[in-house]
Amino acid sequence: MANHKSALKRIRRNEAVRLRNRYQHKTVRNAIKKLRNEEDKKAAEALLPTVVGMIDKLAKKNIIHSNKAANLKSKLMTQVAAM
C-alpha cells in the first residue's frame, strides 16, 4: 500500500483517467462499428467526419497509437468510397 499522501492521490487520479480513457475508447469503437455496418452511402459519408475526428482525438491524447489511428481512418475511408 502507498505510504505518501501524493502516492494515494496518484492512485485515485490514475483510476479516474483510466476509466475516462476506457469510456472514450469504447465510444469510438462503437462509432466505428456503426459506420462499418452502414448500408447507405450518404449516411456513411455524413458519419465519416465525426468518426475521423473522434479517432484523431484519441490519437492526440495517446489513448491509441497514431499509426493505428491512421490505419483505421484509411480503412474507413476506403470502405465508404467503395460503397
Side-chain angles (χ1 to χ4, degrees), residues 5-53:
K5 206 172 195 179
S6 61
L8 293 170
K9 185 175 180 182
R10 273 321 293 175
I11 290 169
R12 289 195 309 271
R13 182 76 183 117
N14 287 341
E15 181 64 13
V17 170
R18 184 185 73 83
L19 291 174
R20 186 181 321 117
N21 288 345
R22 194 170 148 209
Y23 171 77
Q24 291 174 343
H25 197 181
K26 186 64 173 176
T27 304
V28 172
R29 282 201 309 255
N30 288 337
I32 290 170
K33 285 177 192 172
K34 183 178 177 183
L35 180 60
R36 284 186 176 147
N37 292 331
E38 189 65 54
E39 300 291 327
D40 183 32
K41 182 169 179 141
K42 290 229 185 252
E45 286 175 342
L47 192 59
L48 184 63
T50 307
V51 174
V52 168

Side-chain angles (χ1 to χ4, degrees), residues 64-80:
I64 62 173
H65 196 275
S66 58
N67 288 354
K68 180 181 175 78
N71 288 335
L72 285 171
K73 292 190 300 185
S74 174
K75 287 177 183 176
L76 290 173
M77 289 182 190
T78 304
Q79 182 182 353
V80 170

